[in-house]
């Protein structure tokens, strides 16, 4: 059995605000990223490679809050975070606060595979990138007008005082199970619109926004990062499965709808176990998501109940 699930962020996506054309663009982008990762699995490739390919496709698409099209910090900079984890070895790599790396997930993977560390930050991560042959891109590469207008609205006080009051949409992630029985997870984000300079969210924190363990499951999260860090959401889900005796869907449900809800956090997760069970759950209005299991058709969805 092999399987892949991806997300493109969760939050308030009232249907009235989403034109049909825009909605189609999101669905097409999700389908294309899913296929990019699924093709790896179909060819017998690794789950690590599959989540990398899927996340790269989403990072390259300006619709999503990762890579090009990432949200701006209050200072007007795109500061990017990403992580990846291999469930067989528990190897993990993460980078945070980078501003010149076109595909942050590939640098997180280089940290995992080509360094003795788990997380590198800011300039140090970019110096490491240069030593591993990455070409850095100018900051303008990440800029889109839509994200800039969102920042201007925050600066003008449109959404109240806190960037956390703006629903986060567009972080991307993937979880995969390959034909060898190995799980992997990856997440990539620009964080929260208008975030304070150097604020780091849950996405690059192993156990918070990203986790994979063959003994339990692979998880990638999206939502208000501060709450996901405080609850160690991704690891909590894996722990409930591994030694709490929960099924994957029960573990996800408890963490999202009981723990996270108690803190007032909004968001969602995609999770996958070694049997190929896919869970894509959220406590927000919607979550951009897609999945495909071996010999089954692809599934693409945005709203609850789809
Ligand atoms: N979790 C991300 C962060 O807090 C944002 C998101 O998922 O939309 O950085």
């Amino acid at each position: 059995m092999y399987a892949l699930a991806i997300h493109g962020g969760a939050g308030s996506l009232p249907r009235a605000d989403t034109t049909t054309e825009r909605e189609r663009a999101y669905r097409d982008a999700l389908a294309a990223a899913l296929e990019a990762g699924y093709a790896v699995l179909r060819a017998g490739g690794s789950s690590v490679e599959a989540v990398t390919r899927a996340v790269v496709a989403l990072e390259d698409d300006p619709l999503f809050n990762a890579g090009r099209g990432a949200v701006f910090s209050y200072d007007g900079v795109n500061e990017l975070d990403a992580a990846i984890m291999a469930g067989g070895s528990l190897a993990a790599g993460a980078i945070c606060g980078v501003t010149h790396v076109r595909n942050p997930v590939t640098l997180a993977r280089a940290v995992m595979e080509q360094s003795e560390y788990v997380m590198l930050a800011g300039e140090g991560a970019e110096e490491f990138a240069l030593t591993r042959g990455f070409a850095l891109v100018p900051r303008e590469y990440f800029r889109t007008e839509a994200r800039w207008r969102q920042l201007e609205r925050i600066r003008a006080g449109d959404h109240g005082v806190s960037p956390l009051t703006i629903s986060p949409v567009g972080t991307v992630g993937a979880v995969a199970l390959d034909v060898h029985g190995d799980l992997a997870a990856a997440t990539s984000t620009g964080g929260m619109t208008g975030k304070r300079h150097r604020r780091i969210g849950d996405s690059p924190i192993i156990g918070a926004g990203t986790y994979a363990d063959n003994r339990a499951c692979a998880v990638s999260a999206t939502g208000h990062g501060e709450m996901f860090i405080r609850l160690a959401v991704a690891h909590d889900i894996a722990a409930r499965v591994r030694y709490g005796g929960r099924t994957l869907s029960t573990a996800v449900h408890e963490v999202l709808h009981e723990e996270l809800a108690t803190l007032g956090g909004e968001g969602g997760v995609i999770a996958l176990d070694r049997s190929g069970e896919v869970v894509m759950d959220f406590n927000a209005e919607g979550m951009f998501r897609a999945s495909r299991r071996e010999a089954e058709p692809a599934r693409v969805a945005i709203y609850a109940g789809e």
Side-chain angles (χ1 to χ4, degrees), residues 65 81 168-171 189 191-192 199 201-203 221-226:
N65 172 19
D81 305 335
V169 179
T171 288
T189 188
M192 309 286 292
R199 174 269 190 187
D202 61 311
S203 310
T222 175
H224 286 145
E226 280 67 14

PDB file of all heavy atoms in Angstrom, residues 65 81 168-171 189 191-192 199 201-203 221-226, ligand 1:
ATOM      1  N   ASN A  65       0.500  29.969   0.933  1.00  0.00           N
ATOM      2  CA  ASN A  65       1.372  30.706   1.860  1.00  0.00           C
ATOM      3  C   ASN A  65       2.626  29.899   2.179  1.00  0.00           C
ATOM      4  O   ASN A  65       2.847  29.448   3.299  1.00  0.00           O
ATOM      5  CB  ASN A  65       0.573  31.023   3.127  1.00  0.00           C
ATOM      6  CG  ASN A  65       1.437  31.608   4.219  1.00  0.00           C
ATOM      7  OD1 ASN A  65       2.535  32.110   3.970  1.00  0.00           O
ATOM      8  ND2 ASN A  65       0.942  31.544   5.450  1.00  0.00           N
ATOM      9  N   ASP A  81       9.518  29.230   6.930  1.00  0.00           N
ATOM     10  CA  ASP A  81       9.824  28.110   7.834  1.00  0.00           C
ATOM     11  C   ASP A  81       9.438  26.799   7.146  1.00  0.00           C
ATOM     12  O   ASP A  81       8.413  26.750   6.464  1.00  0.00           O
ATOM     13  CB  ASP A  81       8.974  28.176   9.109  1.00  0.00           C
ATOM     14  CG  ASP A  81       9.073  29.490   9.870  1.00  0.00           C
ATOM     15  OD1 ASP A  81      10.097  30.182   9.740  1.00  0.00           O
ATOM     16  OD2 ASP A  81       8.118  29.809  10.611  1.00  0.00           O
ATOM     17  N   PRO A 168      -5.459  32.218   9.280  1.00  0.00           N
ATOM     18  CA  PRO A 168      -4.308  31.808   8.479  1.00  0.00           C
ATOM     19  C   PRO A 168      -4.752  30.835   7.400  1.00  0.00           C
ATOM     20  O   PRO A 168      -5.389  29.844   7.687  1.00  0.00           O
ATOM     21  CB  PRO A 168      -3.431  31.090   9.509  1.00  0.00           C
ATOM     22  CG  PRO A 168      -4.391  30.544  10.500  1.00  0.00           C
ATOM     23  CD  PRO A 168      -5.586  31.453  10.509  1.00  0.00           C
ATOM     24  N   VAL A 169      -4.452  31.118   6.180  1.00  0.00           N
ATOM     25  CA  VAL A 169      -4.781  30.184   5.111  1.00  0.00           C
ATOM     26  C   VAL A 169      -3.599  30.065   4.170  1.00  0.00           C
ATOM     27  O   VAL A 169      -3.035  31.069   3.769  1.00  0.00           O
ATOM     28  CB  VAL A 169      -6.007  30.660   4.307  1.00  0.00           C
ATOM     29  CG1 VAL A 169      -6.307  29.672   3.191  1.00  0.00           C
ATOM     30  CG2 VAL A 169      -7.217  30.789   5.205  1.00  0.00           C
ATOM     31  N   GLY A 170      -3.218  28.850   3.849  1.00  0.00           N
ATOM     32  CA  GLY A 170      -2.260  28.692   2.775  1.00  0.00           C
ATOM     33  C   GLY A 170      -0.959  27.999   3.105  1.00  0.00           C
ATOM     34  O   GLY A 170      -0.180  27.702   2.209  1.00  0.00           O
ATOM     35  N   THR A 171      -0.703  27.743   4.387  1.00  0.00           N
ATOM     36  CA  THR A 171       0.456  26.900   4.725  1.00  0.00           C
ATOM     37  C   THR A 171       0.293  25.573   3.997  1.00  0.00           C
ATOM     38  O   THR A 171      -0.831  25.117   3.785  1.00  0.00           O
ATOM     39  CB  THR A 171       0.491  26.678   6.252  1.00  0.00           C
ATOM     40  OG1 THR A 171       0.871  27.891   6.865  1.00  0.00           O
ATOM     41  CG2 THR A 171       1.438  25.566   6.656  1.00  0.00           C
ATOM     42  N   THR A 189       5.829  27.032   5.243  1.00  0.00           N
ATOM     43  CA  THR A 189       4.931  28.174   5.465  1.00  0.00           C
ATOM     44  C   THR A 189       5.655  29.519   5.458  1.00  0.00           C
ATOM     45  O   THR A 189       6.870  29.570   5.683  1.00  0.00           O
ATOM     46  CB  THR A 189       4.207  28.026   6.835  1.00  0.00           C
ATOM     47  OG1 THR A 189       3.208  29.043   6.954  1.00  0.00           O
ATOM     48  CG2 THR A 189       5.171  28.164   7.997  1.00  0.00           C
ATOM     49  N   GLY A 191       4.166  31.546   7.557  1.00  0.00           N
ATOM     50  CA  GLY A 191       3.726  31.900   8.907  1.00  0.00           C
ATOM     51  C   GLY A 191       2.438  32.702   8.885  1.00  0.00           C
ATOM     52  O   GLY A 191       1.578  32.481   8.043  1.00  0.00           O
ATOM     53  N   MET A 192       2.314  33.623   9.847  1.00  0.00           N
ATOM     54  CA  MET A 192       1.092  34.417   9.975  1.00  0.00           C
ATOM     55  C   MET A 192       1.308  35.802   9.370  1.00  0.00           C
ATOM     56  O   MET A 192       2.335  36.433   9.625  1.00  0.00           O
ATOM     57  CB  MET A 192       0.732  34.577  11.459  1.00  0.00           C
ATOM     58  CG  MET A 192       0.685  33.276  12.245  1.00  0.00           C
ATOM     59  SD  MET A 192      -0.755  32.262  11.903  1.00  0.00           S
ATOM     60  CE  MET A 192      -2.038  33.272  12.599  1.00  0.00           C
ATOM     61  N   ARG A 199       9.407  35.955  14.337  1.00  0.00           N
ATOM     62  CA  ARG A 199       8.453  35.030  14.970  1.00  0.00           C
ATOM     63  C   ARG A 199       8.543  33.691  14.227  1.00  0.00           C
ATOM     64  O   ARG A 199       8.575  33.634  13.007  1.00  0.00           O
ATOM     65  CB  ARG A 199       7.047  35.610  14.880  1.00  0.00           C
ATOM     66  CG  ARG A 199       5.929  34.669  15.376  1.00  0.00           C
ATOM     67  CD  ARG A 199       5.374  33.806  14.266  1.00  0.00           C
ATOM     68  NE  ARG A 199       4.181  33.081  14.667  1.00  0.00           N
ATOM     69  CZ  ARG A 199       3.598  32.153  13.901  1.00  0.00           C
ATOM     70  NH1 ARG A 199       4.093  31.853  12.724  1.00  0.00           N
ATOM     71  NH2 ARG A 199       2.525  31.524  14.318  1.00  0.00           N
ATOM     72  N   GLY A 201       6.714  29.886  13.874  1.00  0.00           N
ATOM     73  CA  GLY A 201       5.495  29.144  14.188  1.00  0.00           C
ATOM     74  C   GLY A 201       5.761  27.671  14.444  1.00  0.00           C
ATOM     75  O   GLY A 201       6.882  27.255  14.741  1.00  0.00           O
ATOM     76  N   ASP A 202       4.700  26.900  14.319  1.00  0.00           N
ATOM     77  CA  ASP A 202       4.785  25.469  14.622  1.00  0.00           C
ATOM     78  C   ASP A 202       5.332  24.629  13.482  1.00  0.00           C
ATOM     79  O   ASP A 202       5.870  23.545  13.703  1.00  0.00           O
ATOM     80  CB  ASP A 202       3.385  24.939  14.962  1.00  0.00           C
ATOM     81  CG  ASP A 202       2.432  25.124  13.780  1.00  0.00           C
ATOM     82  OD1 ASP A 202       2.383  26.245  13.223  1.00  0.00           O
ATOM     83  OD2 ASP A 202       1.743  24.165  13.404  1.00  0.00           O
ATOM     84  N   SER A 203       5.176  25.133  12.242  1.00  0.00           N
ATOM     85  CA  SER A 203       5.493  24.294  11.072  1.00  0.00           C
ATOM     86  C   SER A 203       6.893  23.683  11.122  1.00  0.00           C
ATOM     87  O   SER A 203       7.053  22.492  10.848  1.00  0.00           O
ATOM     88  CB  SER A 203       5.309  25.090   9.779  1.00  0.00           C
ATOM     89  OG  SER A 203       4.066  25.729   9.775  1.00  0.00           O
ATOM     90  N   ALA A 221       0.538  19.824  10.099  1.00  0.00           N
ATOM     91  CA  ALA A 221      -0.529  20.672  10.646  1.00  0.00           C
ATOM     92  C   ALA A 221      -0.569  22.042   9.984  1.00  0.00           C
ATOM     93  O   ALA A 221       0.396  22.485   9.356  1.00  0.00           O
ATOM     94  CB  ALA A 221      -0.319  20.839  12.150  1.00  0.00           C
ATOM     95  N   THR A 222      -1.705  22.706  10.180  1.00  0.00           N
ATOM     96  CA  THR A 222      -1.836  24.107   9.762  1.00  0.00           C
ATOM     97  C   THR A 222      -2.820  24.804  10.689  1.00  0.00           C
ATOM     98  O   THR A 222      -3.790  24.207  11.134  1.00  0.00           O
ATOM     99  CB  THR A 222      -2.312  24.216   8.305  1.00  0.00           C
ATOM    100  OG1 THR A 222      -2.533  25.608   7.998  1.00  0.00           O
ATOM    101  CG2 THR A 222      -3.600  23.447   8.061  1.00  0.00           C
ATOM    102  N   GLY A 223      -2.532  26.056  10.996  1.00  0.00           N
ATOM    103  CA  GLY A 223      -3.414  26.799  11.896  1.00  0.00           C
ATOM    104  C   GLY A 223      -2.617  27.767  12.728  1.00  0.00           C
ATOM    105  O   GLY A 223      -1.464  28.074  12.408  1.00  0.00           O
ATOM    106  N   HIS A 224      -3.243  28.256  13.810  1.00  0.00           N
ATOM    107  CA  HIS A 224      -2.560  29.225  14.683  1.00  0.00           C
ATOM    108  C   HIS A 224      -1.377  28.548  15.375  1.00  0.00           C
ATOM    109  O   HIS A 224      -1.531  27.837  16.361  1.00  0.00           O
ATOM    110  CB  HIS A 224      -3.529  29.762  15.723  1.00  0.00           C
ATOM    111  CG  HIS A 224      -4.518  30.734  15.136  1.00  0.00           C
ATOM    112  ND1 HIS A 224      -5.813  30.829  15.562  1.00  0.00           N
ATOM    113  CD2 HIS A 224      -4.373  31.647  14.159  1.00  0.00           C
ATOM    114  CE1 HIS A 224      -6.436  31.770  14.853  1.00  0.00           C
ATOM    115  NE2 HIS A 224      -5.589  32.273  14.012  1.00  0.00           N
ATOM    116  N   GLY A 225      -0.178  28.811  14.859  1.00  0.00           N
ATOM    117  CA  GLY A 225       1.000  28.068  15.276  1.00  0.00           C
ATOM    118  C   GLY A 225       1.282  28.069  16.762  1.00  0.00           C
ATOM    119  O   GLY A 225       1.754  27.068  17.312  1.00  0.00           O
ATOM    120  N   GLU A 226       1.001  29.185  17.431  1.00  0.00           N
ATOM    121  CA  GLU A 226       1.324  29.275  18.854  1.00  0.00           C
ATOM    122  C   GLU A 226       0.617  28.170  19.641  1.00  0.00           C
ATOM    123  O   GLU A 226       1.203  27.528  20.508  1.00  0.00           O
ATOM    124  CB  GLU A 226       0.950  30.670  19.394  1.00  0.00           C
ATOM    125  CG  GLU A 226       1.972  31.769  19.075  1.00  0.00           C
ATOM    126  CD  GLU A 226       2.096  32.129  17.600  1.00  0.00           C
ATOM    127  OE1 GLU A 226       1.218  31.730  16.810  1.00  0.00           O
ATOM    128  OE2 GLU A 226       3.079  32.788  17.220  1.00  0.00           O
TER     129      GLU A 226
HETATM  130  N1  LIG B   1       0.858  27.218  11.310  1.00  0.00           N
HETATM  131  C1  LIG B   1       1.411  28.318  10.573  1.00  0.00           C
HETATM  132  C2  LIG B   1       2.166  29.211  11.520  1.00  0.00           C
HETATM  133  O1  LIG B   1       1.667  29.480  12.600  1.00  0.00           O
HETATM  134  C3  LIG B   1       0.404  29.122   9.841  1.00  0.00           C
HETATM  135  C4  LIG B   1      -0.643  28.368   9.097  1.00  0.00           C
HETATM  136  O2  LIG B   1      -0.711  27.157   9.161  1.00  0.00           O
HETATM  137  O3  LIG B   1      -1.439  28.996   8.384  1.00  0.00           O
HETATM  138  O4  LIG B   1       3.209  29.685  11.175  1.00  0.00           O
END
